[in-house]
Amino acid sequence: MQPNNSQVNRRIATISAHLNPPNYSQMEGGSGLGRANCRAKGGSAGFKVAILGAAGGIGQPLAMLMKMNPLVSVLHLYDVVNAPGVTADISHMDTGAVVRGFLGQQQLEEALTGMDLVIIPAGVPRKPGMTRDDLFNINAGIVKTLCEGIAKCCPKAIVNLISNPVNSTVPIAAEVFKKAGTFDPKRLLGVTMLDVVRANTFVAEVLGLDPREVDVPVVGGHAGVTILPLLSQQVKPPCSFTQKEIDYLTDRIQNGGTEVVEAKAGAGSATLSMAYAAVKFADACLRGLRGDAGVVECAFVASHVTELPFFASKVRLGRFGVEEVYPLGPLNEYERIGLEKAKKELAGSIQKGVSFVKK
Amino acid sequence: MMVNILSRERRCIRYTKEKGKILGRENSAAKRVDLKECEMAATSATSFSIGSTVSLGSRGCSLPQKKPFSVRFTSQNSLTSFSGLKAATSVNCESESSFLGKESSAALRASVAPKAQKPNQRSQYVLQPQASYKVAILGAAGGIGQPLALLIKMSPLVSTLNLYDIANVKGVAADLSHCNTPSQVLDFTGASELGNCLKGVNVVVIPAGVPRKPGMTRDDLFNINANIVKTLVEAVADNCPDAFIHIISNPVNSTVPIAAEVLKQKGVYDPKKLFGVTTLDVVRANTFVAQKKNLKLIDVDVPVVGGHAGITILPLLSKAKPSVSFTDEEVEQLTVRIQNAGTEVVEAKAGAGSATLSMGYAAARFVESSLRALDGDGDVYECSFVQSNLTDLPFFASRIKLGRKGIEAWIPSDLEGLTEYEQKALEALKPELKASIEKGIAFVQKQPVTA
């Protein structure tokens, strides 16, 4: 298969653009442009991303990886403690994004103004023996406050919500936005990418494949039995599993988070892999915002795929957020039973979130 | 997910041409253009190629640090066009198409590869698809160790990642093992498992130790960290004496000589494979110079020599690339800022630690450079604190060329033609650096290693 002409031409055009780059210092002619009009010093064309909860266990590696992403031009790090330290640390990295830190609720609005993408890892993590739902009370309040800020300052931003329990915090966010009149179902996404990452890793382990080459869709929600890996639909490479493998994999994917909480024995929950997955997902959102075609990821979004108001499935990301929500596709018997179980629990969690705000 | 972590694609044609002079080799940038063109097309290093695998010839997602004619990839270069018949999803943009199967992918690879491989090119570097090295991190559950481990896990050059610490490392390993990159993560806890952690390892990174608190100098950490480093390096000498050893634990000016003494006493010392990691100073210098002079960071490269504490950090602003002129105040301001940047972060964190994320990033960049050098890349240059003849001091940080056997060349050109300010600063730092080195050596000679 030979590359066709347009691809070759595109490549050549890009090569020559790099060979003769625009020389910024000459172009701007000294003090021509006021600071307000310049792109930030050393910054590249890109998007403005805010991380709310940047000094936490997920937030810190997340901030480091986002600082390294060339699609990010401005990075705002917000938290209620320790934000200046993390900002000073990250600001020394020699990549293009400009970093600013914001400490405390009084600076929340400043942190959010003008943002294109807001990532929310804020909240407390699980300890051994806890379910994601046990975090509800604390994290629900945190998410509500942060979303009120978003509704006020950057209503058009894409929101990636990580704070658990995602099954409830996403409906909470939706209700807050609805109250403020800024709800856009295309721009609110719960991050379930870590389930996909885990599914890919475990399936690759079982099949002896390169985990980069595996793609398993994971639908439903982001807690326990609501996580539904569709192993029959695993597209690349196409393969079939024995029933034992299906049971093992489904169980392991559903409890991957608990696996890490136990291994950390009280020191926290998944932070590094969550940061990795969140960055992968944020990068997909940014590529969609930039206009790339064919950016498809699983996410927990407002959805008509089932009778539930929210459901995770494959979505296509584009300039306005979620452009298309894909239906579930063919499910086998095992998955259909799993789907019913998932829907029951998910309905409860969604309702819990909605009632929290309505109260 | 292969991350081009540290491929700061830099335009280094100018440096390469100089390098050609230094090493007496002819390096035609022109020849490399061809190679790069194909490499560029072939690599999956898109903007920030998360989720991208290198398919065709698996050229490095991790582009060599200082390739001549390094190109920054924008999304247009994403390999979606090459990866198969269907539009790539973002999860695995650049993996080989499942439609084609292995034979066709191989054929596709073959059709692109020959153009890129010119057998008569001396520093021909092709990142092998199976490039796979074992890396051990001693102190992996700490503030630097965790983000460092994450970045190494994401590197396509690593097959096995061994994480060691005295506590908490099981959790970190379980966490990282869920990332869908091919490297395998193993955890080792406590002194009894240290030996197993190190067997067969190619690169050992040592961030273990305690960090500074506000008001402390790096030297205040000496007593605790000296013991930690001594113990760990003893184990390295026993289990993987041929590995590259990267020392991060402060004070680097003393812990590197400590490591050297330990290795000497064990009879396995190879001065070409012992490195003190000063990459963070280079990273900071690049950042501050780019901010000051409104340059694009991708172009900026400032060599930093001397040591890794206070005034022993000497950024050679006159040798910065691209060459810019600084006023005397700017030189003063920048030099002081670079020297105290570590303290800047310690103060900002107000007791919560010292630089962890930027240190993890810088250390990972240095590890990737080492892995590329191990893999045969002939164009790897980094600044590092090593045993050196460039000055009268036994150890000195300068730019070095890395290769399969460690340091291939110490680059003296940076130290020639210094400005007056830099010359003075160089003389001023030597006594302090000498004292730190001797402190480290004396520490080991007082308590000889257990055989």
Side-chain angles (χ1 to χ4, degrees), chain A residues 10-163:
Chain A
R10 213 165 14 131
R11 220 163 71 225
I12 292 175
T14 323
I15 297 170
S16 47
H18 287 297
L19 272 178
N20 297 305
N23 188 330
Y24 282 109
S25 41
Q26 279 172 12
M27 264 172 23
E28 281 170 3
S31 60
L33 292 174
R35 251 204 99 140
N37 291 333
C38 280
R39 262 189 267 115
K41 285 185 177 175
S44 39
F47 297 100
K48 304 196 174 136
V49 178
I51 300 178
L52 308 183
I58 299 176
Q60 290 199 35
L62 176 58
M64 174 182 74
L65 291 172
M66 287 310 284
K67 172 84 169 91
M68 288 159 61
N69 188 330
L71 287 175
V72 177
S73 64
V74 175
L75 185 59
H76 281 189
L77 305 180
Y78 166 85
D79 210 322
V80 290
V81 289
N82 295 336
V86 177
T87 309
D89 192 352
I90 294 199
S91 68
H92 289 175
M93 288 165 62
D94 56 355
T95 59
V98 171
V99 188
R100 297 192 192 111
F102 301 87
L103 179 66
Q105 206 166 320
Q106 62 274 24
Q107 297 201 320
L108 178 58
E109 304 200 353
E110 235 184 290
L112 287 172
T113 311
M115 292 293 113
D116 299 311
L117 175 68
V118 181
I119 310 177
I120 311 184
V124 297
R126 285 195 277 166
K127 294 214 180 303
M130 289 171 83
T131 65
R132 286 185 177 91
D133 201 58
D134 295 333
L135 307 172
F136 181 87
N137 294 320
I138 316 177
N139 289 356
I142 297 177
V143 169
K144 181 160 172 285
T145 315
L146 295 175
C147 288
E148 282 162 359
I150 295 174
K152 191 157 166 213
C153 304
C154 54
K156 295 257 166 57
I158 302 215
V159 178
N160 286 359
L161 196 36
I162 299 174
S163 314

Side-chain angles (χ1 to χ4, degrees), chain B residues 237 241 245 256-257 259-274 386-388 394-395:
Chain B
I245 307 175
V256 170
E261 284 302 305
V262 169
L263 295 167
K264 273 185 207 159
Q265 287 185 7
K266 291 267 187 179
V268 294
Y269 179 45
D270 182 354
K272 299 200 296 298
K273 290 192 178 170
L274 177 62
V386 292
Q387 179 169 308
S388 165
F395 293 87

Side-chain angles (χ1 to χ4, degrees), chain A residues 272-288:
Chain A
L272 302 172
S273 48
M274 183 69 236
Y276 167 90
V279 168
K280 228 172 141 167
F281 187 70
D283 185 67
C285 290
L286 291 179
R287 276 181 293 123

Side-chain angles (χ1 to χ4, degrees), chain B residues 352-371:
Chain B
S354 61
T356 50
L357 302 169
S358 46
M359 184 68 233
Y361 165 83
R365 170 178 141 170
F366 191 64
V367 170
E368 266 221 348
S369 296
S370 300
L371 294 178

Side-chain angles (χ1 to χ4, degrees), chain B residues 220-301:
Chain B
D220 294 335
L221 307 172
F222 182 89
N223 293 321
I224 314 177
N225 289 357
N227 271 309
I228 296 177
V229 169
K230 178 161 171 288
T231 318
L232 293 175
V233 175
E234 280 170 7
V236 170
D238 290 336
N239 291 287
C240 55
D242 294 327
F244 283 25
I245 307 175
H246 295 183
I247 309 264
I248 300 175
S249 315
N250 271 315
V252 167
N253 292 352
S254 303
T255 51
V256 170
I258 287 176
E261 284 302 305
V262 169
L263 295 167
K264 273 185 207 159
Q265 287 185 7
K266 291 267 187 179
V268 294
Y269 179 45
D270 182 354
K272 299 200 296 298
K273 290 192 178 170
L274 177 62
F275 307 89
V277 180
T278 60
T279 317
L280 185 51
D281 298 322
V282 175
V283 164
R284 286 169 173 156
N286 294 348
T287 307
F288 300 158
V289 166
Q291 274 174 10
K292 190 73 147 197
K293 290 286 168 181
N294 207 6
L295 299 167
K296 288 178 81 169
L297 265 168
I298 201 112
D299 292 330
V300 180
D301 186 23

